[in-house]
Amino acid sequence: MGVYRFLLTPRWLGILALTLAAAAVMVLLGNWQLSRYQERAAINERIDTTAKVPPVPVDQVLPDPGGTAGTAGQAPPADAAWTRVTVTGRYDNTNVILIRSRTVESKVGFEVLTPLLLTDGSAVLVDRGWIPPAPGGSALARPEVPTAPSGEVTVVGRVHLSESKPDAIVRRDGRIETRRIAVPALARELPYPIYHGYLLLDEQTPAADPIFSAIPIRHENDWQNAGYVVQWWLFAVLALVGFGWAARREARGGPGNDSGDRDRAGRDRLGEDRLGQDRLGRDRRGEDRLGQDRLGEPASTPRP
């Protein structure tokens, strides 16, 4: 373990702290995505489960709206969403609500909500479906909305929770228009109390007008969150593995490593041997030139 003493230096302790902090953040992000996956998976399971069970009366799922006109009842719990309910009443054709800029099968049009008046004086909003804009006009051209059936109507539908971020509400020719189905805001435009939430129409007696397209119930994309869970946790593991790899590399080539010292010593000796051989070669070449110079000198002339 002596070769890893460098891990106790300030530099490597700092690298370790940053690595652990990054890995911890990645694990937390993975845990958050896991919770989102579980939430969305639970919604998908509820959508599938409620489609197979008989509908229950609406007042068993949505809280009673009370008796104050122009108000919405208490918001239902989140697990009330997508529950199939049944309710009987009479449509109020004088307070039809058009929800513009809604898309079904890549086409922009309107969703039509009509209050269903109950015997106790309250009402529940029923989304009767989607219709296209008026022919020849833009996506915002007001459509001709078929009148809802008169007399008593029995509706079976899925509970949809109120949408957030209410938009401006206008009334034209007796019809209310807006872009968001924010139930408390819409309640202020109506002369009776309404349930908090609305119903996506599944079945109706008598039958609904065939011009309406049913609003699709889309499953949540929970697998995307599952992929993010794996991604963040894998990044955390890679950060720790990367630190271990860098530490091992430093240990193998860093100071205090015997094999590294031996390798460097061998390289130094090899360099010294090559340097000595070069010097010896130069000395020999010098001696050869000296001998050649002596052989080429003329013989000395004897003195008289």
Side-chain angles (χ1 to χ4, degrees), residues 134-174:
S138 68
L140 298 179
R142 293 185 66 188
E144 289 296 328
V145 180
T147 302
S150 60
E152 191 172 79
V153 178
T154 297
V155 168
V156 175
R158 301 281 195 103
V159 172
H160 197 299
L161 303 182
S162 176
E163 296 178 356
S164 59
K165 298 180 181 179
D167 192 52
I169 299 174
V170 298
R171 187 184 285 268
R172 292 191 299 168
D173 301 328

mmCIF file of all heavy atoms in Angstrom, residues 134-174:
data_model
loop_
_atom_site.group_PDB
_atom_site.id
_atom_site.type_symbol
_atom_site.label_atom_id
_atom_site.label_comp_id
_atom_site.label_asym_id
_atom_site.label_seq_id
_atom_site.Cartn_x
_atom_site.Cartn_y
_atom_site.Cartn_z
ATOM 1 N N ALA A 134 -64.264 25.397 -38.086
ATOM 2 C CA ALA A 134 -65.195 25.616 -39.186
ATOM 3 C C ALA A 134 -64.489 25.414 -40.524
ATOM 4 O O ALA A 134 -63.340 25.830 -40.696
ATOM 5 C CB ALA A 134 -65.778 27.028 -39.109
ATOM 6 N N PRO A 135 -65.145 24.768 -41.482
ATOM 7 C CA PRO A 135 -64.516 24.513 -42.790
ATOM 8 C C PRO A 135 -64.086 25.810 -43.468
ATOM 9 O O PRO A 135 -64.774 26.826 -43.423
ATOM 10 C CB PRO A 135 -65.633 23.811 -43.584
ATOM 11 C CG PRO A 135 -66.547 23.249 -42.551
ATOM 12 C CD PRO A 135 -66.505 24.216 -41.405
ATOM 13 N N GLY A 136 -62.898 25.743 -44.083
ATOM 14 C CA GLY A 136 -62.391 26.887 -44.822
ATOM 15 C C GLY A 136 -61.768 27.971 -43.976
ATOM 16 O O GLY A 136 -61.263 28.957 -44.516
ATOM 17 N N GLY A 137 -61.775 27.800 -42.679
ATOM 18 C CA GLY A 137 -61.197 28.817 -41.806
ATOM 19 C C GLY A 137 -59.878 28.357 -41.209
ATOM 20 O O GLY A 137 -59.343 27.288 -41.537
ATOM 21 N N SER A 138 -59.351 29.162 -40.312
ATOM 22 C CA SER A 138 -58.105 28.812 -39.631
ATOM 23 C C SER A 138 -58.396 27.810 -38.521
ATOM 24 O O SER A 138 -59.542 27.407 -38.299
ATOM 25 C CB SER A 138 -57.465 30.068 -39.045
ATOM 26 O OG SER A 138 -58.258 30.577 -37.981
ATOM 27 N N ALA A 139 -57.336 27.431 -37.813
ATOM 28 C CA ALA A 139 -57.492 26.473 -36.717
ATOM 29 C C ALA A 139 -58.301 27.055 -35.570
ATOM 30 O O ALA A 139 -58.771 26.320 -34.705
ATOM 31 C CB ALA A 139 -56.118 26.033 -36.205
ATOM 32 N N LEU A 140 -58.478 28.390 -35.574
ATOM 33 C CA LEU A 140 -59.245 29.041 -34.511
ATOM 34 C C LEU A 140 -60.656 29.426 -34.950
ATOM 35 O O LEU A 140 -61.389 30.065 -34.194
ATOM 36 C CB LEU A 140 -58.499 30.291 -34.026
ATOM 37 C CG LEU A 140 -57.112 30.051 -33.406
ATOM 38 C CD1 LEU A 140 -56.478 31.380 -33.001
ATOM 39 C CD2 LEU A 140 -57.201 29.121 -32.212
ATOM 40 N N ALA A 141 -61.031 29.045 -36.172
ATOM 41 C CA ALA A 141 -62.369 29.363 -36.652
ATOM 42 C C ALA A 141 -63.412 28.597 -35.844
ATOM 43 O O ALA A 141 -63.348 27.368 -35.743
ATOM 44 C CB ALA A 141 -62.481 29.029 -38.137
ATOM 45 N N ARG A 142 -64.362 29.292 -35.276
ATOM 46 C CA ARG A 142 -65.335 28.660 -34.386
ATOM 47 C C ARG A 142 -66.171 27.628 -35.139
ATOM 48 O O ARG A 142 -66.718 27.895 -36.203
ATOM 49 C CB ARG A 142 -66.265 29.715 -33.774
ATOM 50 C CG ARG A 142 -65.556 30.647 -32.821
ATOM 51 C CD ARG A 142 -66.550 31.571 -32.156
ATOM 52 N NE ARG A 142 -67.459 30.816 -31.293
ATOM 53 C CZ ARG A 142 -68.530 31.351 -30.709
ATOM 54 N NH1 ARG A 142 -68.837 32.612 -30.919
ATOM 55 N NH2 ARG A 142 -69.284 30.622 -29.936
ATOM 56 N N PRO A 143 -66.290 26.428 -34.575
ATOM 57 C CA PRO A 143 -67.060 25.386 -35.254
ATOM 58 C C PRO A 143 -68.549 25.504 -34.937
ATOM 59 O O PRO A 143 -68.965 26.217 -34.018
ATOM 60 C CB PRO A 143 -66.482 24.107 -34.637
ATOM 61 C CG PRO A 143 -66.129 24.514 -33.241
ATOM 62 C CD PRO A 143 -65.661 25.948 -33.337
ATOM 63 N N GLU A 144 -69.320 24.793 -35.716
ATOM 64 C CA GLU A 144 -70.738 24.638 -35.411
ATOM 65 C C GLU A 144 -70.873 23.457 -34.453
ATOM 66 O O GLU A 144 -70.600 22.316 -34.829
ATOM 67 C CB GLU A 144 -71.531 24.402 -36.689
ATOM 68 C CG GLU A 144 -71.643 25.632 -37.579
ATOM 69 C CD GLU A 144 -72.410 26.762 -36.896
ATOM 70 O OE1 GLU A 144 -73.322 26.463 -36.092
ATOM 71 O OE2 GLU A 144 -72.085 27.939 -37.157
ATOM 72 N N VAL A 145 -71.263 23.734 -33.239
ATOM 73 C CA VAL A 145 -71.330 22.696 -32.215
ATOM 74 C C VAL A 145 -72.729 22.087 -32.182
ATOM 75 O O VAL A 145 -73.717 22.822 -32.017
ATOM 76 C CB VAL A 145 -70.966 23.267 -30.832
ATOM 77 C CG1 VAL A 145 -71.031 22.171 -29.774
ATOM 78 C CG2 VAL A 145 -69.581 23.896 -30.865
ATOM 79 N N PRO A 146 -72.830 20.759 -32.344
ATOM 80 C CA PRO A 146 -74.150 20.132 -32.259
ATOM 81 C C PRO A 146 -74.757 20.323 -30.873
ATOM 82 O O PRO A 146 -74.059 20.281 -29.856
ATOM 83 C CB PRO A 146 -73.854 18.648 -32.528
ATOM 84 C CG PRO A 146 -72.522 18.633 -33.195
ATOM 85 C CD PRO A 146 -71.766 19.803 -32.651
ATOM 86 N N THR A 147 -76.034 20.546 -30.840
ATOM 87 C CA THR A 147 -76.718 20.707 -29.562
ATOM 88 C C THR A 147 -76.711 19.382 -28.807
ATOM 89 O O THR A 147 -76.924 18.312 -29.394
ATOM 90 C CB THR A 147 -78.159 21.171 -29.785
ATOM 91 O OG1 THR A 147 -78.142 22.400 -30.516
ATOM 92 C CG2 THR A 147 -78.884 21.375 -28.475
ATOM 93 N N ALA A 148 -76.447 19.455 -27.522
ATOM 94 C CA ALA A 148 -76.467 18.247 -26.698
ATOM 95 C C ALA A 148 -77.898 17.717 -26.593
ATOM 96 O O ALA A 148 -78.865 18.475 -26.712
ATOM 97 C CB ALA A 148 -75.908 18.552 -25.316
ATOM 98 N N PRO A 149 -78.062 16.405 -26.381
ATOM 99 C CA PRO A 149 -79.410 15.831 -26.258
ATOM 100 C C PRO A 149 -80.206 16.513 -25.151
ATOM 101 O O PRO A 149 -79.674 16.841 -24.093
ATOM 102 C CB PRO A 149 -79.135 14.366 -25.928
ATOM 103 C CG PRO A 149 -77.751 14.107 -26.408
ATOM 104 C CD PRO A 149 -77.012 15.389 -26.238
ATOM 105 N N SER A 150 -81.491 16.726 -25.426
ATOM 106 C CA SER A 150 -82.365 17.284 -24.400
ATOM 107 C C SER A 150 -82.918 16.158 -23.534
ATOM 108 O O SER A 150 -82.860 14.978 -23.909
ATOM 109 C CB SER A 150 -83.517 18.055 -25.052
ATOM 110 O OG SER A 150 -84.273 17.182 -25.888
ATOM 111 N N GLY A 151 -83.437 16.496 -22.414
ATOM 112 C CA GLY A 151 -83.974 15.484 -21.517
ATOM 113 C C GLY A 151 -82.868 14.834 -20.700
ATOM 114 O O GLY A 151 -81.708 15.266 -20.667
ATOM 115 N N GLU A 152 -83.259 13.769 -20.042
ATOM 116 C CA GLU A 152 -82.327 13.098 -19.138
ATOM 117 C C GLU A 152 -81.264 12.323 -19.922
ATOM 118 O O GLU A 152 -81.577 11.616 -20.878
ATOM 119 C CB GLU A 152 -83.096 12.150 -18.214
ATOM 120 C CG GLU A 152 -82.272 11.609 -17.068
ATOM 121 C CD GLU A 152 -83.120 10.827 -16.081
ATOM 122 O OE1 GLU A 152 -83.431 9.655 -16.385
ATOM 123 O OE2 GLU A 152 -83.475 11.393 -15.015
ATOM 124 N N VAL A 153 -80.021 12.459 -19.482
ATOM 125 C CA VAL A 153 -78.873 11.823 -20.151
ATOM 126 C C VAL A 153 -78.030 11.109 -19.090
ATOM 127 O O VAL A 153 -77.794 11.655 -18.006
ATOM 128 C CB VAL A 153 -78.008 12.864 -20.893
ATOM 129 C CG1 VAL A 153 -76.803 12.193 -21.531
ATOM 130 C CG2 VAL A 153 -78.831 13.599 -21.936
ATOM 131 N N THR A 154 -77.615 9.908 -19.427
ATOM 132 C CA THR A 154 -76.698 9.168 -18.549
ATOM 133 C C THR A 154 -75.324 9.122 -19.208
ATOM 134 O O THR A 154 -75.201 8.716 -20.380
ATOM 135 C CB THR A 154 -77.208 7.740 -18.292
ATOM 136 O OG1 THR A 154 -78.460 7.823 -17.600
ATOM 137 C CG2 THR A 154 -76.216 6.968 -17.432
ATOM 138 N N VAL A 155 -74.326 9.537 -18.472
ATOM 139 C CA VAL A 155 -72.955 9.641 -18.985
ATOM 140 C C VAL A 155 -72.051 8.695 -18.219
ATOM 141 O O VAL A 155 -72.146 8.579 -16.987
ATOM 142 C CB VAL A 155 -72.450 11.093 -18.852
ATOM 143 C CG1 VAL A 155 -70.942 11.167 -19.093
ATOM 144 C CG2 VAL A 155 -73.183 12.009 -19.798
ATOM 145 N N VAL A 156 -71.177 8.018 -18.950
ATOM 146 C CA VAL A 156 -70.069 7.259 -18.369
ATOM 147 C C VAL A 156 -68.785 7.889 -18.892
ATOM 148 O O VAL A 156 -68.606 8.042 -20.109
ATOM 149 C CB VAL A 156 -70.127 5.766 -18.757
ATOM 150 C CG1 VAL A 156 -68.882 5.042 -18.240
ATOM 151 C CG2 VAL A 156 -71.392 5.117 -18.208
ATOM 152 N N GLY A 157 -67.911 8.281 -17.984
ATOM 153 C CA GLY A 157 -66.675 8.937 -18.410
ATOM 154 C C GLY A 157 -65.553 8.751 -17.424
ATOM 155 O O GLY A 157 -65.734 8.208 -16.333
ATOM 156 N N ARG A 158 -64.376 9.204 -17.828
ATOM 157 C CA ARG A 158 -63.169 9.141 -16.991
ATOM 158 C C ARG A 158 -62.942 10.484 -16.312
ATOM 159 O O ARG A 158 -63.034 11.536 -16.956
ATOM 160 C CB ARG A 158 -61.946 8.817 -17.843
ATOM 161 C CG ARG A 158 -62.004 7.508 -18.605
ATOM 162 C CD ARG A 158 -61.698 6.323 -17.711
ATOM 163 N NE ARG A 158 -61.412 5.141 -18.509
ATOM 164 C CZ ARG A 158 -60.180 4.655 -18.719
ATOM 165 N NH1 ARG A 158 -59.131 5.253 -18.181
ATOM 166 N NH2 ARG A 158 -60.007 3.586 -19.444
ATOM 167 N N VAL A 159 -62.626 10.444 -15.033
ATOM 168 C CA VAL A 159 -62.328 11.676 -14.299
ATOM 169 C C VAL A 159 -60.996 12.256 -14.779
ATOM 170 O O VAL A 159 -59.982 11.550 -14.840
ATOM 171 C CB VAL A 159 -62.275 11.404 -12.781
ATOM 172 C CG1 VAL A 159 -61.757 12.645 -12.040
ATOM 173 C CG2 VAL A 159 -63.641 10.997 -12.264
ATOM 174 N N HIS A 160 -61.013 13.510 -15.130
ATOM 175 C CA HIS A 160 -59.790 14.245 -15.477
ATOM 176 C C HIS A 160 -59.644 15.385 -14.482
ATOM 177 O O HIS A 160 -60.576 16.161 -14.271
ATOM 178 C CB HIS A 160 -59.869 14.794 -16.900
ATOM 179 C CG HIS A 160 -58.540 15.189 -17.471
ATOM 180 N ND1 HIS A 160 -57.750 16.161 -16.904
ATOM 181 C CD2 HIS A 160 -57.855 14.737 -18.556
ATOM 182 C CE1 HIS A 160 -56.642 16.293 -17.616
ATOM 183 N NE2 HIS A 160 -56.681 15.447 -18.631
ATOM 184 N N LEU A 161 -58.480 15.497 -13.884
ATOM 185 C CA LEU A 161 -58.250 16.571 -12.920
ATOM 186 C C LEU A 161 -58.175 17.916 -13.626
ATOM 187 O O LEU A 161 -57.844 18.003 -14.815
ATOM 188 C CB LEU A 161 -56.964 16.308 -12.134
ATOM 189 C CG LEU A 161 -56.892 14.982 -11.374
ATOM 190 C CD1 LEU A 161 -55.586 14.886 -10.600
ATOM 191 C CD2 LEU A 161 -58.083 14.813 -10.436
ATOM 192 N N SER A 162 -58.462 18.971 -12.896
ATOM 193 C CA SER A 162 -58.412 20.320 -13.442
ATOM 194 C C SER A 162 -57.007 20.642 -13.937
ATOM 195 O O SER A 162 -56.003 20.266 -13.317
ATOM 196 C CB SER A 162 -58.832 21.330 -12.374
ATOM 197 O OG SER A 162 -58.714 22.653 -12.844
ATOM 198 N N GLU A 163 -56.932 21.345 -15.067
ATOM 199 C CA GLU A 163 -55.636 21.739 -15.604
ATOM 200 C C GLU A 163 -55.130 22.983 -14.869
ATOM 201 O O GLU A 163 -55.918 23.813 -14.405
ATOM 202 C CB GLU A 163 -55.745 22.021 -17.099
ATOM 203 C CG GLU A 163 -56.120 20.786 -17.913
ATOM 204 C CD GLU A 163 -56.285 21.070 -19.388
ATOM 205 O OE1 GLU A 163 -56.186 22.261 -19.776
ATOM 206 O OE2 GLU A 163 -56.510 20.126 -20.159
ATOM 207 N N SER A 164 -53.812 23.098 -14.794
ATOM 208 C CA SER A 164 -53.203 24.242 -14.108
ATOM 209 C C SER A 164 -53.050 25.418 -15.075
ATOM 210 O O SER A 164 -53.344 25.308 -16.272
ATOM 211 C CB SER A 164 -51.840 23.841 -13.538
ATOM 212 O OG SER A 164 -50.985 23.404 -14.584
ATOM 213 N N LYS A 165 -52.575 26.540 -14.559
ATOM 214 C CA LYS A 165 -52.304 27.750 -15.336
ATOM 215 C C LYS A 165 -53.523 28.192 -16.146
ATOM 216 O O LYS A 165 -53.541 28.068 -17.381
ATOM 217 C CB LYS A 165 -51.105 27.529 -16.263
ATOM 218 C CG LYS A 165 -49.817 27.218 -15.523
ATOM 219 C CD LYS A 165 -48.677 26.999 -16.482
ATOM 220 C CE LYS A 165 -47.397 26.673 -15.749
ATOM 221 N NZ LYS A 165 -46.256 26.425 -16.673
ATOM 222 N N PRO A 166 -54.565 28.680 -15.496
ATOM 223 C CA PRO A 166 -55.766 29.109 -16.224
ATOM 224 C C PRO A 166 -55.464 30.220 -17.211
ATOM 225 O O PRO A 166 -54.575 31.046 -17.004
ATOM 226 C CB PRO A 166 -56.697 29.579 -15.108
ATOM 227 C CG PRO A 166 -55.810 29.882 -13.950
ATOM 228 C CD PRO A 166 -54.673 28.921 -14.045
ATOM 229 N N ASP A 167 -56.207 30.202 -18.327
ATOM 230 C CA ASP A 167 -56.045 31.195 -19.384
ATOM 231 C C ASP A 167 -57.234 32.157 -19.336
ATOM 232 O O ASP A 167 -58.214 31.920 -18.620
ATOM 233 C CB ASP A 167 -55.957 30.480 -20.736
ATOM 234 C CG ASP A 167 -55.490 31.410 -21.842
ATOM 235 O OD1 ASP A 167 -54.448 32.054 -21.661
ATOM 236 O OD2 ASP A 167 -56.182 31.493 -22.876
ATOM 237 N N ALA A 168 -57.141 33.207 -20.108
ATOM 238 C CA ALA A 168 -58.235 34.180 -20.168
ATOM 239 C C ALA A 168 -59.510 33.513 -20.681
ATOM 240 O O ALA A 168 -59.468 32.659 -21.578
ATOM 241 C CB ALA A 168 -57.850 35.343 -21.068
ATOM 242 N N ILE A 169 -60.641 33.900 -20.109
ATOM 243 C CA ILE A 169 -61.932 33.334 -20.479
ATOM 244 C C ILE A 169 -62.791 34.434 -21.079
ATOM 245 O O ILE A 169 -62.906 35.533 -20.514
ATOM 246 C CB ILE A 169 -62.632 32.723 -19.247
ATOM 247 C CG1 ILE A 169 -61.783 31.592 -18.665
ATOM 248 C CG2 ILE A 169 -64.014 32.205 -19.610
ATOM 249 C CD1 ILE A 169 -62.317 31.023 -17.366
ATOM 250 N N VAL A 170 -63.354 34.157 -22.257
ATOM 251 C CA VAL A 170 -64.241 35.129 -22.908
ATOM 252 C C VAL A 170 -65.574 34.444 -23.209
ATOM 253 O O VAL A 170 -65.643 33.217 -23.312
ATOM 254 C CB VAL A 170 -63.618 35.682 -24.212
ATOM 255 C CG1 VAL A 170 -62.329 36.429 -23.912
ATOM 256 C CG2 VAL A 170 -63.360 34.555 -25.206
ATOM 257 N N ARG A 171 -66.610 35.229 -23.328
ATOM 258 C CA ARG A 171 -67.933 34.707 -23.686
ATOM 259 C C ARG A 171 -68.398 35.399 -24.968
ATOM 260 O O ARG A 171 -68.485 36.628 -25.011
ATOM 261 C CB ARG A 171 -68.923 34.923 -22.551
ATOM 262 C CG ARG A 171 -70.279 34.263 -22.785
ATOM 263 C CD ARG A 171 -71.227 34.598 -21.655
ATOM 264 N NE ARG A 171 -70.918 33.840 -20.448
ATOM 265 C CZ ARG A 171 -71.475 32.663 -20.155
ATOM 266 N NH1 ARG A 171 -72.320 32.099 -21.001
ATOM 267 N NH2 ARG A 171 -71.172 32.065 -19.018
ATOM 268 N N ARG A 172 -68.680 34.589 -25.991
ATOM 269 C CA ARG A 172 -69.153 35.123 -27.269
ATOM 270 C C ARG A 172 -70.385 34.341 -27.712
ATOM 271 O O ARG A 172 -70.341 33.106 -27.773
ATOM 272 C CB ARG A 172 -68.069 35.028 -28.346
ATOM 273 C CG ARG A 172 -66.873 35.934 -28.124
ATOM 274 C CD ARG A 172 -65.983 35.994 -29.346
ATOM 275 N NE ARG A 172 -65.425 34.691 -29.700
ATOM 276 C CZ ARG A 172 -64.806 34.443 -30.856
ATOM 277 N NH1 ARG A 172 -64.711 35.390 -31.763
ATOM 278 N NH2 ARG A 172 -64.309 33.245 -31.087
ATOM 279 N N ASP A 173 -71.433 35.067 -28.016
ATOM 280 C CA ASP A 173 -72.673 34.452 -28.488
ATOM 281 C C ASP A 173 -73.158 33.369 -27.531
ATOM 282 O O ASP A 173 -73.628 32.304 -27.960
ATOM 283 C CB ASP A 173 -72.491 33.853 -29.888
ATOM 284 C CG ASP A 173 -72.070 34.912 -30.909
ATOM 285 O OD1 ASP A 173 -72.483 36.093 -30.749
ATOM 286 O OD2 ASP A 173 -71.329 34.564 -31.845
ATOM 287 N N GLY A 174 -72.993 33.620 -26.236
ATOM 288 C CA GLY A 174 -73.492 32.690 -25.243
ATOM 289 C C GLY A 174 -72.584 31.507 -24.971
ATOM 290 O O GLY A 174 -72.916 30.644 -24.151
#
